[in-house]
Amino acid sequence: MDDNRRYYSLDALRGSMMMLGIVLHGSQWYISEPPGGLPVPTDPSTAYVFDVIVHFIHSFRMPLFFVLAGFFTSLLVQKRGLRGTYANRGSRILSPLLVSCLTILPLTMLAMIAFMGSAKFNTFQVLPSMEQINILKAEISAAGMPVDQPSLGHLWFLYYLLYFYLLIPLCMGLVWLLKKADADVGKVIASPLLYIPLVMYSAATLWTFRGGVLFEGFLFVKPHLPALLYYGSFFVFGYVFHNFRQILVTFNHSLNGFLGISVILLPLAIMATASEFAMADVDPQTHAVAVALNACLTWSLIYLFMGLFLRFLDYKSPWILYISNSSYWVYLIHMPVVTTIAWLLLPFDLPALIKFPIVVLVTTLICFSFYHYWIQDSWVSQLLNGVRFNHAWPWQENAASNVAK
């Protein structure tokens, strides 16, 4: 069945997941206990609340983003065909990735080196000495993170999307088989009980990761097969969901239930992951509990946020349109800005609860100001979105609409 609907709610959700990168990457510099897969120096001012924020956002943000990527890829295939989809993804994903690797990524790496060196050695310098860099590399390597591989930083998700697009023919075949197998398969997918096999599958793909969370392996050019399998599964699920859209009703109707489940699971998952990271040796039972709880939490939050946005934000709005169109640029540019602001705040003896909102607020203002005045009507917008925009600020659009009424 052709799908000509504009999914305002899912556009807003996709944009929001990209915007959450500012909060996530701002929080990571103030966590009190860096997880085992993320062995980086932090600001001297820390607070446990940022450990909770990082775990919470990381547990669902990218899985949900890839579900939405698969969903909208299926919609694109329906509208443009396979060849047209690959041409579109080449221009919207591959080209921005290549340009960003030559421009944004070097700035990001410079900012991270400045922050990590300054935080580790209690200095304030852009470039640490070679001796300091070697110490940092040795400590990061000892914690299990490879230091001899080129990293894509926060651009890794574009790189992984390119791999996932190779799965489109397989996704098309899977959808064909599901529709042919049983006329009631749509009811099965729309059932809230689908949550159980989804959790079981995700738990299986999480098994190789310490603490049942994916903090390692996926940032580098060399493909990390466990991470590809884990995140690629969400892309495939999203592709299937678009072809059995009854599940969108389930997301909406089950919102309250998954809100309650998520509230219960979040502290349990955080404690289980922390318990495993605190152990010198792997305990299979502790690992199994952490994996199971985090897989449950991930899908609970996916159901929750899909339902939340479908119920309350599925309408045309200047705010939704602005966020949807600006989020790509904001995500690409936010990382060097977040890290630079955090670095500039290092010398100040302020609580983390004061530094963090400064980082988020200043980064948000810089990213959106650049987008509004210099990016939206430029070749950059043409590169990222395929079109140039001339948006007014959303509150100005609302004011104009009210006057017109």
Side-chain angles (χ1 to χ4, degrees):
M1 183 184 297
D2 288 342
D3 185 6
N4 297 313
R5 173 183 171 184
R6 175 69 187 268
Y7 292 94
Y8 295 107
S9 56
L10 301 187
D11 276 341
L13 182 56
R14 179 173 53 181
S16 297
M17 292 304 99
M18 300 184 83
M19 299 292 184
L20 269 180
I22 297 176
V23 180
L24 175 68
H25 295 131
S27 298
Q28 74 179 15
W29 303 122
Y30 303 105
I31 55 179
S32 58
E33 291 290 338
L38 195 66
V40 295
T42 60
D43 191 286
S45 300
T46 63
Y48 181 70
V49 65
F50 298 111
D51 300 58
V52 175
I53 291 173
V54 168
H55 193 117
F56 169 66
I57 295 177
H58 192 70
S59 66
F60 74 93
R61 175 174 159 266
M62 292 314 299
L64 179 49
F65 175 84
F66 286 124
V67 167
L68 293 169
F71 187 96
F72 283 112
T73 296
S74 175
L75 179 61
L76 192 61
V77 169
Q78 183 186 101
K79 292 184 175 181
R80 301 197 180 198
L82 185 60
R83 184 173 180 178
T85 297
Y86 278 128
N88 177 272
R89 297 297 81 188
S91 58
R92 301 283 81 80
I93 302 297
L94 176 58
S95 296
L97 173 60
L98 295 175
V99 173
S100 297
C101 283
L102 296 174
T103 54
I104 296 173
L105 186 58
L107 295 175
T108 302
M109 293 305 168
L110 179 61
M112 293 192 70
I113 290 172
F115 180 93
M116 292 169 65
S118 299
K120 172 66 178 176
F121 301 106
N122 195 28
T123 60
F124 186 68
Q125 54 191 357
V126 176
L127 290 176
S129 67
M130 284 305 302
E131 180 183 0
Q132 292 172 335
I133 290 176
N134 288 333
I135 293 174
L136 275 173
K137 290 173 66 176
E139 291 186 357
I140 292 173
S141 178
M145 180 177 286
V147 295
D148 57 347
Q149 297 182 28
S151 173
L152 290 169
H154 69 299
L155 304 178
W156 70 270
F157 84 102
L158 294 175
Y159 184 57
Y160 273 45
L161 277 175
L162 296 176
Y163 282 105
F164 300 158
Y165 293 140
L166 299 177
L167 299 175
I168 294 176
L170 295 178
C171 292
M172 295 170 69
L174 175 60
V175 168
W176 181 83
L177 288 174
L178 288 172
K179 290 183 176 180
K180 185 178 180 180
D182 191 339
D184 292 329
V185 70
K187 295 180 181 179
V188 174
I189 291 176
S191 169
L193 295 178
L194 180 69
Y195 170 82
I196 297 173
L198 290 174
V199 165
M200 294 174 65
Y201 181 87
S202 292
T205 59
L206 269 178
W207 186 260
T208 59
F209 296 99
R210 291 176 291 172
V213 289
L214 206 163
F215 280 123
E216 53 196 297
F218 58 91
L219 296 176
F220 303 96
V221 174
K222 181 181 178 180
H224 188 255
L225 294 181
L228 280 171
L229 177 61
Y230 176 71
Y231 283 127
S233 302
F234 292 100
F235 179 89
V236 174
F237 289 137
Y239 195 101
V240 171
F241 291 165
H242 175 257
N243 289 272
F244 298 93
R245 291 185 289 281
Q246 303 97 313
I247 196 172
L248 299 182
V249 178
T250 304
F251 289 143
N252 193 334
H253 289 172
S254 58
L255 169 60
N256 294 338
F258 281 105
L259 173 60
I261 293 172
S262 299
V263 169
I264 295 171
L265 286 173
L266 179 60
L268 296 176
I270 291 174
M271 288 188 292
T273 297
S275 295
E276 181 171 353
F277 280 140
M279 294 180 174
D281 299 316
V282 176
D283 175 58
Q285 185 175 356
T286 302
H287 181 66
V289 171
V291 166
L293 286 172
N294 279 286
C296 289
L297 178 63
T298 293
W299 276 108
S300 296
L301 290 171
I302 288 174
Y303 271 74
L304 169 62
F305 281 99
M306 290 286 282
L308 189 68
F309 277 69
L310 284 165
R311 182 178 297 186
F312 297 109
L313 291 171
D314 199 20
Y315 59 89
K316 187 176 182 180
S317 159
W319 287 93
I320 291 175
L321 186 63
Y322 197 93
I323 289 174
S324 299
N325 293 338
S326 63
S327 60
Y328 198 174
W329 156 258
V330 171
Y331 181 80
L332 292 179
I333 197 62
H334 86 279
M335 193 63 187
V337 181
V338 161
T339 309
T340 299
I341 302 303
W343 173 68
L344 290 172
L345 290 174
L346 269 175
F348 296 94
D349 185 19
L350 297 171
L353 292 173
I354 292 179
K355 287 186 175 183
F356 169 75
I358 294 174
V359 170
V360 171
L361 179 60
V362 173
T363 299
T364 301
L365 289 174
I366 290 174
C367 292
F368 277 102
S369 295
F370 265 83
Y371 173 78
H372 190 83
Y373 294 110
W374 293 290
I375 299 301
Q376 65 165 324
D377 191 24
S378 72
W379 66 269
V380 178
S381 180
Q382 188 76 42
L383 175 70
L384 300 180
N385 303 299
V387 64
R388 300 183 183 212
F389 301 107
N390 189 24
H391 296 303
W393 290 108
W395 56 86
Q396 293 175 330
E397 294 276 5
N398 282 333
S401 298
N402 292 332
V403 170
K405 292 178 181 179

